[in-house]
Amino acid sequence: MTIQENLKKIKSELPKHVTLVAVSKTKPVTDIMEAYDSGHRVFGENKIQEMVEKYEVMPKDIEWHMIGHVQRNKVKYMAPFVSLIHGVDNFKLLKEINKQAKKSERIIDCLLQIKIAEEDSKFGMSVSEALKILKSDAFSELKNIRVTGVMGMATFTDDKVQIEQEFRFLDSKFKQLKTIEAKNCNLKTISMGMSNDYRLAIDCGSTMVRIGSSIFGRRN
């Protein structure tokens, strides 16, 4: 099946309230343009440099999502154009995004990455850390960012029961965080679920799925 056929099939299965982020990391511009030409506009990259290079040569109505781990010293390169940063896992990073967004005269949407997996290799903050940040005066002073939701990555396992527990945990904590009132915080997005588990993620409350190989084929 072609990229366009894959996209059409996945989109036909997704509920209306779920946003599809086509994960285009490591894929050439020609592949991404095939998805673009079929009408898709939301793409996810995990390396800032690669995203910047693609942004420069591709149509400007694309929404670029940074879905990988973010190094603070590289935020400045994507601040002029990035639509959503999924992997915000500490306050220092939020401050840096705010600083660079201000320079670009923008407000950048961010998701707090909550650690839901048991693996040590996964980044993320605890729910108590997230609560502490969102309730702090220091956070309320950040005028050029907006926290619009949470992101989580499940454990890399075939154990569907464990994955479902992790997804349901994130959904319940999202509801807890949602009660916080702050000008720069409007929680509406739960980004969880990838090619192999997005259906389960949606059943557990996900409103944004990150799908790569099911659209573009396996990575080289």
Side-chain angles (χ1 to χ4, degrees):
M1 277 168 70
T2 65
I3 289 169
Q4 293 199 358
E5 286 166 343
N6 289 339
L7 257 175
K8 197 176 170 186
K9 181 179 178 294
I10 291 166
K11 283 184 167 177
S12 70
E13 293 173 6
L14 293 181
K16 287 271 186 286
H17 68 279
V18 176
T19 301
L20 170 62
V21 181
V23 178
S24 49
K25 61 184 185 183
T26 76
K27 294 295 172 187
V29 168
T30 47
D31 284 9
I32 308 171
M33 279 308 297
E34 199 182 317
Y36 178 90
D37 289 338
S38 75
H40 195 71
R41 294 293 180 269
V42 185
F43 296 93
E45 291 283 331
N46 72 335
K47 289 195 168 66
I48 292 173
Q49 198 53 49
E50 192 179 332
M51 183 168 73
V52 170
E53 285 165 12
K54 288 171 179 175
Y55 165 77
E56 283 170 356
V57 298
M58 292 189 69
K60 295 299 174 269
D61 59 340
I62 288 174
E63 260 189 51
W64 291 101
H65 288 209
M66 178 60 194
I67 61 172
H69 182 63
V70 179
Q71 291 169 294
R72 288 208 304 277
N73 62 345
K74 293 195 174 154
V75 171
K76 58 180 177 280
Y77 301 115
M78 65 174 168
F81 68 89
V82 69
S83 285
L84 181 65
I85 300 174
H86 288 234
V88 178
D89 59 0
N90 63 75
F91 185 68
K92 280 182 178 169
L93 178 56
L94 266 183
K95 268 175 70 173
E96 182 61 26
I97 295 166
N98 184 74
K99 178 181 150 188
Q100 298 302 336
K102 193 174 181 181
K103 284 183 189 172
S104 293
E105 297 180 352
R106 297 184 67 219
I107 291 172
I108 295 177
D109 288 346
C110 301
L111 303 180
L112 297 184
Q113 183 171 355
I114 307 294
K115 190 171 167 66
I116 60 173
E118 290 175 8
E119 296 163 69
D120 287 339
S121 60
K122 296 276 194 284
F123 294 100
M125 61 175 80
S126 67
V127 178
S128 56
E129 285 172 304
L131 279 165
K132 195 174 157 189
I133 288 170
L134 296 179
K135 287 178 173 174
S136 70
D137 291 341
F139 171 74
S140 66
E141 285 160 19
L142 303 180
K143 303 280 193 281
N144 290 79
I145 54 123
R146 188 166 43 218
V147 172
T148 58
V150 296
M151 183 269 255
M153 292 177 77
T155 302
F156 190 69
T157 174
D158 292 328
D159 183 350
K160 287 279 188 280
V161 175
Q162 184 181 349
I163 294 170
E164 182 175 351
Q165 281 173 346
E166 291 170 358
F167 284 159
R168 292 208 182 279
F169 171 80
L170 187 61
D171 182 53
S172 69
K173 296 307 168 189
F174 171 74
K175 290 180 175 116
Q176 187 185 343
L177 293 167
K178 231 180 146 167
T179 59
I180 291 171
E181 288 179 24
K183 276 202 172 105
N184 52 350
C185 179
N186 176 20
L187 302 186
K188 51 185 191 290
T189 300
I190 305 183
S191 169
M192 61 183 183
M194 301 192 283
S195 285
N196 52 348
D197 56 19
Y198 71 89
R199 292 180 184 87
L200 177 58
I202 292 167
D203 289 343
C204 295
S206 176
T207 63
M208 185 175 281
V209 292
R210 311 179 297 270
I211 300 178
S213 54
S214 296
I215 295 171
F216 296 105
R218 295 267 161 232
R219 284 198 293 282
N220 303 333

